[in-house]
Amino acid sequence: MSGPGAVVFDLDGTLVHSAPDLHAAANVMLATLGRRTLSLGEVTSFVGNGVPKLVERCVEATGGPDPRAIDLFRTHYDAHPADLTRLYPGAEDMLNHLIGAGYILGICTNKPEAPTQTILRTLGLGSHFGAVIGGDTLPIKKPDPAPLTECFQRLGGAPLLYVGDSEIDAATARAAHIPFALFSAGYRRSPVDQIPHDHLFDDLAEIPGLLTR
């Protein structure tokens, strides 16, 4: 590949704290189904494999499958993906620094593409990323490497780093043979020493330094 280097980010738990909006949508769904509601911590622990798996875990935790669940969740979440979602501290400054230094940036997430784009626009990041791959952009999701590979191909620069927060992101990077930086403050389920990574950081301001080492 030619051109400047490319860096790709996961979204939920990496650049944004999106669990409050996912939690709200899950509890609207569950209340409509007559189920008990879930805590923010419970819903956060279900994040990572995309909306269908999140919904599956929510209904399994509250009584079992219901064919109405996925549509109920999507109806609320698609209308309110960014009401409570916020950038992690330092995220925008870090992204602006990378762009100013000549890096090209992408997003590879298991969140559906439409709410992903809404979140980016709402948070003022609509023009920061040269490629956005959501969980429904391709027929397959992470941890299959294809979405990450596709994101780097669309960016066109040398693939330098994938930045994420979870076991799924780590497995995706490893399958795609891309160096992986693990954000320790995200939505992971396992201890950091059980998640393969090339770099570990707890502050997004560290990313430029990782790239220049």
Side-chain angles (χ1 to χ4, degrees), residues 43-194:
V43 174
T44 301
S45 74
F46 298 156
V47 174
N49 296 88
V51 165
K53 196 67 177 179
L54 171 63
V55 170
E56 177 186 316
R57 289 167 175 158
C58 289
V59 294
E60 285 179 350
T62 57
D66 189 303
R68 299 169 292 171
I70 188 72
D71 287 341
L72 288 170
F73 180 94
R74 283 176 167 158
T75 296
H76 182 85
Y77 189 69
D78 287 355
H80 304 276
D83 289 5
L84 303 171
T85 295
R86 298 292 181 267
L87 285 167
Y88 279 121
E92 187 169 11
D93 287 345
M94 177 271 295
L95 295 170
N96 287 335
H97 180 96
L98 294 183
I99 292 169
Y103 296 99
I104 49 177
L105 310 180
I107 292 285
C108 182
T109 175
N110 275 341
K111 184 189 296 294
E113 188 173 343
T116 295
Q117 296 281 12
T118 299
I119 288 168
L120 295 176
R121 288 194 301 270
T122 301
L123 298 180
L125 302 180
S127 63
H128 284 59
F129 301 99
V132 175
I133 302 294
D136 54 357
T137 305
L138 302 180
I140 47 180
K141 298 179 176 66
K142 301 181 298 181
D144 190 289
L148 183 57
T149 299
E150 176 69 16
C151 192
F152 278 114
Q153 288 177 343
R154 292 188 185 187
L155 291 173
L160 299 179
L161 189 68
Y162 182 46
V163 183
D165 68 302
S166 71
E167 298 85 345
I168 294 163
D169 296 323
T172 305
R174 172 166 285 191
H177 307 291
I178 301 295
F180 177 62
L182 174 64
F183 182 37
S184 63
Y187 297 163
R188 60 185 169 81
R189 300 182 185 88
S190 307
V192 293
D193 60 2
Q194 295 181 13

